[in-house]
Amino acid sequence: MCDLIAMSFSEAVRPNFNVKGFRSKGEQNPDGWGIGYYPDTSAQIIKEPMQAGVSILSKFIQIYPGIVSKIIIGHVRKSSVGEVSHRNTHPFSRALEGKEYVFAHNGSLDGFHALHTGRFKPIGLTDSEHAFSHLLHAMECKGISSWSKTEFQWLNLVLREINAFGKFNCVFSDGEYLFCYHDMNDFNSYRIVQRKNLFENAKLQDDEFDIHLFDENKHTQRGFIIATNPLTDEPWEKFLPGELMVFKNGDMIFSSRL
C-alpha cells in the first residue's frame, strides 16, 4: 500500500534525510514516486512511474541542494486503481483561486465516480485524482478564498464524505497551509513528529547510521513531519481516526480533535 510524507516548517528546509528514508519505502511501493514542493507561490512536481529506489532522478533529489521549501509532500505508489503511468502517479496538482494545490492519497475508494468533480476533470484514472477533483469542486462551490476555523471544520466534513467511499488518508497544500487527514476507520495508521530549535541526530528505522536531519540547522527552524509510518526512532504521535490537522509556517493551527 502507498506511503505518504508531508512537512510544514517555519523556514524553507532541504529534506535530504527524510527523502532518503522515504525513498527506501519504494521497495514495497514500486509503481511510482513523487514529490511536490513550493519554490515560491507556485508548485513544483517531480514524479516518475517507477520504483523510487532504482530511480536516478530520485537519488539526485536526495542530494540536490536546490529543493528547499516550507511545505513538502511526498508519495510512493503501489497501484490499486489505474495503470502504472505518469498521469496516475502522485502527487497531483491543480489551480484554484490563484493558488496551486498539491494532493496525494493513500488508500482505495469504491464507487468513487459518484463524487462530482465539476469543471475539474481528472487527467488520469485513479480514485485519488478523482477525489482531489471532487474536493476542489466542493471548495469552489463553497467559495473558499481564505481559511479560518469555520472553513477547516467544513473541510473535515467534506473529507469524511469522501472517506465514506473507502480507505482515505490524504495530504494536500495550497502553498500556505498543509492539510493532513487520517482515515476515519484508522486505515494504515498516520504519524506525526514535531521538530523545533536545533535538530538532534535521529536514526533511520532501516539504516545503520545516524545523520542530521538537515545540513544547515538554525535556531529559528521548527516544524512538523507527517508520515504513514515513523521514519526515525523518535516518538511519533498517532492521528485520531477521522482527524484533520492543518499546519502553517511550522505550527499546527487546527485539529478537529480540539
Side-chain angles (χ1 to χ4, degrees):
M1 189 55 69
C2 307
D3 275 78
L4 296 169
I5 187 173
M7 306 181 200
S8 171
F9 277 86
S10 58
E11 299 181 31
V13 295
R14 182 165 75 89
N16 59 316
F17 173 70
N18 291 91
V19 168
K20 182 176 185 293
F22 190 67
R23 186 170 170 263
S24 68
K25 301 295 184 181
E27 295 178 7
Q28 294 79 42
N29 303 277
D31 297 328
W33 68 273
I35 183 172
Y37 64 100
Y38 291 84
D40 46 37
T41 55
S42 65
Q44 171 70 55
I45 304 291
I46 304 172
K47 60 184 182 180
E48 289 182 306
M50 64 184 298
Q51 183 178 326
V54 299
S55 165
I56 296 174
L57 180 57
S58 173
K59 188 172 183 178
F60 171 74
I61 287 174
Q62 180 184 317
I63 62 173
Y64 177 55
I67 296 180
V68 290
S69 179
K70 288 185 177 182
I71 293 175
I72 298 163
I73 290 174
H75 183 275
V76 286
R77 182 184 185 223
K78 185 174 182 180
S79 62
S80 57
V81 179
E83 81 279 7
V84 177
S85 64
H86 184 272
R87 65 174 179 166
N88 290 330
T89 304
H90 305 226
F92 307 101
S93 67
R94 289 289 183 88
L96 175 64
E97 293 292 336
K99 295 185 177 181
E100 195 167 1
Y101 283 81
V102 174
F103 175 95
H105 163 228
N106 162 234
S108 58
L109 303 172
D110 297 321
F112 60 90
H113 290 291
L115 294 167
H116 298 294
T117 61
R119 67 180 180 89
F120 298 95
K121 305 300 182 184
I123 296 171
L125 303 174
T126 64
D127 50 352
S128 306
E129 189 186 11
H130 196 99
F132 178 37
S133 297
H134 170 78
L135 177 60
L136 293 173
H137 174 59
M139 290 165 55
E140 185 173 57
C141 290
K142 182 70 174 177
I144 299 291
S145 57
S146 61
W147 293 97
S148 68
K149 183 176 180 179
T150 299
E151 283 75 27
F152 294 147
Q153 291 171 333
W154 168 84
L155 177 62
N156 189 228
L157 294 177
V158 174
L159 294 170
R160 283 173 174 258
E161 290 173 357
I162 298 173
N163 201 166
F165 285 79
K167 301 170 183 176
F168 191 64
N169 293 317
C170 73
V171 295
F172 63 98
S173 176
D174 64 353
E176 183 177 6
Y177 298 93
L178 175 66
F179 306 88
C180 302
Y181 173 81
H182 178 42
D183 180 77
M184 59 188 176
N185 295 309
D186 203 24
F187 167 70
N188 214 21
S189 190
Y190 216 28
R191 307 280 180 150
I192 180 171
V193 67
Q194 184 176 20
R195 291 278 183 144
K196 53 187 176 181
N197 299 323
L198 283 176
F199 304 132
E200 298 178 355
N201 278 4
K203 187 176 182 179
L204 279 172
Q205 296 285 42
D206 50 5
D207 253 339
E208 297 179 353
F209 54 89
D210 295 333
I211 185 170
H212 284 288
L213 177 61
F214 304 110
D215 290 340
E216 296 180 4
N217 299 321
K218 299 178 182 179
H219 287 283
T220 53
Q221 284 179 345
R222 67 182 189 280
F224 288 87
I225 305 169
I226 300 90
T228 309
N229 295 292
L231 298 176
T232 65
D233 57 0
E234 301 165 281
W236 290 65
E237 181 184 354
K238 285 191 67 174
F239 276 64
L240 293 180
E243 182 174 14
L244 170 66
M245 288 190 188
V246 183
F247 306 87
K248 181 179 180 181
N249 294 326
D251 294 319
M252 185 179 71
I253 62 171
F254 175 82
S255 169
S256 57
R257 76 170 70 180
L258 304 177

